[in-house]
Amino acid sequence: MNNTEQQFLKELDDKLWKAADKLRNNLDAANYKHIVLGLIFLKYVSDAFEERQNELKDLFQQDADDNIYLMPRDDYESDQDYQQAINKELEIIEYYQEKNVFWVPKAARWSTLKSTASLPIGSVIWKNEQGEDVKLRSISWLVDNALDDIEKANTKLKGILNRISQHQLENDKLIGLINSFSDTSFRNPEYNGQKLELQSKDILGHVYEYFLGQFALAEGKQGGQYYTPKSIVTLIVEMLEPYNGRVYDPAMGSGGFFVSSEKFIEEHADEKHYNAAEQKKHISVYGQESNPTTWKLAAMNMAIRGIDFNFGKKNADSFLDDQHPDLRADYVMANPPFNVKDWWHAKLEDDIRWKYGTPPQSNANFAWIQHMLHHLNDNGSMALLLANGSMSSNTNNEGEIRKALIDADRIECMVALPGQLFTNTQIPACIWFLTKNKKDGNGKVNRTGKSLFIDARNLGYMKDRVLRDFDKERDIDKITSTFHAWQRGEGYEDQPGFCFSAEIEDMQKHDYVLTPGRYVGAAEQEDDGEPFANKMARLTEQLKIQLEESDHLVAEIKKSMEALGYEC
């Protein structure tokens, strides 16, 4: 995006968030996210519907010779009949479905929602199919009614839109939110008089992603369960390069990896010489999520972007109720919860997935690794985020499983990450990249018996006082280009302090510990030209002076304390 588009989106983010954040005093973030995201979704589908409707109006009003939709205007008895014919044609659902636009029934359109919300509670707002008067019960009921109508009219959305009545939000708060959102538009955006090239789907996707990040910050640890930092998702997707095939995430949260995979295809279309829209048809998305509300968030996230998905029949535990038992994916990506202790069940004993050893009942880290490997096809690659302890722990069979993975030559790359990247935990993290095929092919050289170690702990920048982030060009591209150069045999060199290509024998010498710092060593220090003997003498004299100053200051402090009557 250019600077104008970025500024437009930033101001939109700020405006919408300020409106939504007013609910914070009435509801906690875990609840008000569903209200806010539900209203944003309603606003988007209504805007997209109106945009398509305006396109159709222009088509219907073409000159008689070009109009394939209606009879010539002169064939109607009056202009009123002609307009009625146009209005009737505009309500044909197929015109919207052919452009992948959600059908929005009249009662669910934003204009109806806004005008109806301004009426007194108890007002008659429309008649039902039986001809009976329908009265306005509450604003949350009105919103839920709109969500019901949209779900009924669009099979892709069935069962994935969260209702808001259960949160019992005051009517005036919801009206305020509706009015605030009414001042924004997801279609035909302009900024400072300049027409922007942003599509409504792109604007909504950006806002949706921004809100998920803000809610994760507001919710703390719980919120972070469904949100992975955008830069980390981008890094993993850029390294794996999922151009086509089956993509699977067994701990999908809100579906960030799938969204980034779609963006990856779009962004690399020119350099890879393919049509992005056609290429995206070659990607199949599979996911699983145990939390029911997060499962719906992910499904809604896919639906608004037009991504076909298979998230199983329901929300379910990936270990105990695998929704894709026969799936063998080309790419697996995940950010499972770190160090989960209460995951084990007796029926998991001797499970087919524990090919490299039974994971400890007190920690699910190596269960996630093996679950993902089980769902990987013979040429597939995978990546997952785990706590740093997974690289070195020998507790309860973890060391033996790691040894088995190394001896089986499954480790492709280990990336150590800097701290403070996550909103929900300060636990240091790393990325495991594993593969089932290191032989040459698809532009990659034979890497059999080799693994790459990257120490990225010194990369990134502080985006605020709490969180660190990666810069795309300075950090993500550096890691990605190093990995791809190593894979493709194109100018890769070990860099002390950053990267090292190791043999299995190297890992055996390090007792099968996979911490990158052990392999990359220390970065080379620039020679300042001062002889070692001279530098040692200078530093020793400097230390002596500083110690004498320290003794002097301690004596002065002691004297002052005694003058105040304190014994020292």
Side-chain angles (χ1 to χ4, degrees):
M1 292 183 291
N2 60 43
N3 291 334
T4 303
E5 291 170 339
Q6 291 177 5
Q7 188 62 30
F8 164 78
L9 291 174
K10 184 179 186 306
E11 291 189 11
L12 180 63
D13 290 340
D14 292 342
K15 181 177 182 179
L16 292 175
W17 179 252
K18 285 177 182 176
D21 205 36
K22 293 177 182 177
L23 300 182
R24 188 188 292 222
N25 294 330
N26 301 80
L27 295 166
D28 62 33
N31 291 326
Y32 81 78
K33 71 167 175 271
H34 301 301
I35 296 172
V36 172
L37 293 176
L39 284 175
I40 289 176
F41 176 77
L42 281 175
K43 185 66 169 70
Y44 160 73
V45 294
S46 190
D47 282 358
F49 179 86
E50 287 182 12
E51 187 172 24
R52 175 58 177 160
Q53 198 169 61
N54 289 334
E55 291 176 1
L56 292 170
K57 283 180 183 177
D58 292 338
L59 289 172
F60 298 159
Q61 292 173 344
Q62 287 177 350
D63 294 336
D65 293 341
D66 301 323
N67 196 331
I68 62 173
Y69 303 95
L70 299 173
M71 295 186 301
R73 185 169 189 152
D74 293 341
D75 289 354
Y76 293 89
E77 293 184 6
S78 66
D79 285 346
Q80 184 177 0
D81 289 342
Y82 177 63
Q83 289 301 322
Q84 286 178 347
I86 289 177
N87 292 337
K88 183 177 180 181
E89 199 77 9
L90 288 173
E91 296 299 320
I92 296 177
I93 192 171
E94 286 76 16
Y95 287 137
Y96 301 87
Q97 291 175 334
E98 68 183 11
K99 293 294 185 178
N100 292 318
V101 173
F102 292 120
W103 170 257
V104 184
K106 288 183 178 179
R109 294 170 194 172
W110 193 263
S111 55
T112 305
L113 193 69
K114 184 183 179 184
S115 60
T116 306
S118 64
L119 299 173
I121 301 300
S123 300
V124 176
I125 51 177
W126 56 68
K127 291 184 180 295
N128 61 20
E129 294 177 356
Q130 289 74 39
E132 301 167 336
D133 289 343
V134 176
K135 295 182 178 180
L136 180 61
R137 303 177 194 174
S138 67
I139 307 304
S140 58
W141 169 85
L142 181 68
V143 172
D144 281 357
N145 188 77
L147 294 169
D148 286 339
D149 285 351
I150 289 175
E151 271 201 3
K152 290 175 184 176
N154 301 275
T155 55
K156 287 183 179 180
L157 298 175
K158 186 177 180 180
I160 69 173
L161 302 182
N162 282 305
R163 306 304 189 264
I164 71 171
S165 294
Q166 60 181 309
H167 303 301
Q168 300 179 336
L169 189 64
E170 297 172 5
N171 290 324
D172 61 329
K173 298 292 184 184
L174 266 177
I175 292 172
L177 204 53
I178 290 171
N179 289 335
S180 295
F181 286 2
S182 296
D183 294 335
T184 63
S185 176
F186 289 105
R187 62 188 178 94
N188 301 323
E190 288 188 2
Y191 184 72
N192 291 338
Q194 180 180 341
K195 178 74 174 168
L196 303 181
E197 296 298 321
L198 294 170
Q199 301 295 314
S200 57
K201 183 179 73 171
D202 299 325
I203 299 172
L204 175 69
H206 170 87
V207 170
Y208 199 85
E209 190 173 83
Y210 172 77
F211 267 65
L212 287 175
Q214 292 299 105
F215 286 129
L217 283 171
E219 282 189 76
K221 184 175 181 179
Q222 182 181 358
Q225 289 178 358
Y226 63 81
Y227 183 76
T228 306
K230 180 181 177 182
S231 60
I232 303 303
V233 175
T234 300
L235 173 63
I236 288 175
V237 171
E238 291 279 343
M239 291 178 74
L240 283 184
E241 299 184 300
Y243 286 112
N244 52 60
R246 296 181 173 189
V247 180
Y248 172 55
D249 184 347
M252 66 184 179
S254 59
F257 282 112
F258 304 133
V259 173
S260 283
S261 295
E262 183 193 43
K263 289 180 180 177
F264 174 81
I265 290 173
E266 292 174 349
E267 291 170 0
H268 292 269
D270 290 340
E271 66 185 67
K272 297 294 181 179
H273 307 295
Y274 57 69
N275 179 281
E278 288 299 316
Q279 189 66 30
K280 283 190 284 188
K281 294 179 182 178
H282 298 290
I283 286 283
S284 302
V285 165
Y286 297 82
Q288 185 155 346
E289 172 60 42
S290 61
N291 184 293
T293 55
T294 308
W295 185 81
K296 288 184 177 182
L297 280 177
M300 191 163 75
N301 204 3
M302 299 302 103
I304 61 181
R305 298 170 189 274
I307 300 175
D308 288 329
F309 61 93
N310 182 343
F311 292 165
K313 296 179 180 179
K314 59 181 180 178
N315 60 286
D317 184 295
S318 293
F319 297 130
L320 299 175
D321 189 6
D322 192 343
Q323 293 290 292
H324 309 286
D326 300 322
L327 174 66
R328 296 298 179 267
D330 298 278
Y331 304 96
V332 183
M333 298 175 274
N335 174 21
F338 296 169
N339 303 324
V340 174
K341 300 183 183 303
D342 55 350
W343 71 282
W344 181 260
H345 189 279
K347 72 177 186 178
L348 293 174
E349 194 73 49
D350 299 322
D351 194 287
I352 191 175
R353 289 170 288 186
W354 315 147
K355 182 177 179 179
Y356 302 94
T358 302
Q361 299 180 15
S362 58
N363 194 315
N365 287 344
F366 283 89
W368 285 114
I369 291 177
Q370 295 192 81
H371 173 84
M372 292 169 67
L373 274 171
H374 174 76
H375 283 289
L376 202 62
N377 67 30
D378 290 341
N379 293 304
S381 297
M382 59 171 270
L384 78 162
L385 282 151
L386 285 177
N388 274 0
S390 62
M391 298 188 290
S392 58
S393 172
N394 289 312
T395 305
N396 298 326
N397 204 40
E398 288 184 340
E400 290 302 312
I401 298 174
R402 192 170 54 251
K403 177 179 181 297
L405 290 169
I406 293 170
D407 288 340
D409 202 15
R410 293 289 177 255
I411 310 299
E412 173 133 64
C413 180
M414 298 295 300
V415 179
L417 298 172
Q420 296 177 270
L421 285 171
F422 299 88
T423 59
N424 60 322
T425 180
Q426 293 301 313
I427 297 175
C430 60
I431 310 175
W432 290 61
F433 289 87
L434 297 93
T435 185
K436 286 189 175 180
N437 184 3
K438 290 185 181 179
K439 296 178 181 179
D440 57 343
N442 295 321
K444 300 173 183 177
V445 298
N446 188 351
R447 290 130 22 242
T448 302
K450 297 179 180 180
S451 301
L452 180 65
F453 289 86
I454 296 177
D455 190 345
R457 289 177 298 171
N458 294 322
L459 299 186
Y461 66 97
M462 295 302 295
K463 61 188 296 186
D464 54 39
R465 291 180 299 174
V466 179
L467 289 175
R468 180 178 290 273
D469 203 356
F470 277 154
D471 177 81
K472 175 65 170 68
E473 294 182 2
R474 188 175 60 248
D475 303 316
I476 293 176
D477 288 352
K478 179 180 181 179
I479 298 171
T480 301
S481 61
T482 300
F483 179 57
H484 291 159
W486 176 80
Q487 282 186 318
R488 297 162 187 165
E490 298 175 349
Y492 170 82
E493 291 183 0
D494 292 337
Q495 298 179 43
F498 178 64
C499 62
F500 181 79
S501 179
E503 308 278 346
I504 289 181
E505 291 76 13
D506 295 318
M507 291 174 263
Q508 291 171 342
K509 291 176 184 177
H510 285 285
D511 297 323
Y512 294 96
V513 170
L514 295 176
T515 307
R518 290 200 176 197
Y519 298 88
V520 304
E524 294 181 351
Q525 300 295 317
E526 290 187 13
D527 186 1
D528 58 9
E530 184 179 8
F532 176 78
N534 294 352
K535 181 183 290 187
M536 192 66 184
R538 177 176 59 79
L539 293 175
T540 301
E541 182 62 25
Q542 184 177 329
L543 177 62
K544 178 182 177 183
I545 294 171
Q546 289 174 341
L547 289 173
E548 289 174 351
E549 289 179 354
S550 173
D551 292 341
H552 174 71
L553 288 172
V554 169
E556 290 296 320
I557 293 171
K558 182 178 179 181
K559 188 185 300 181
S560 299
M561 295 291 286
E562 288 174 346
L564 293 172
Y566 293 98
E567 290 187 9
C568 296

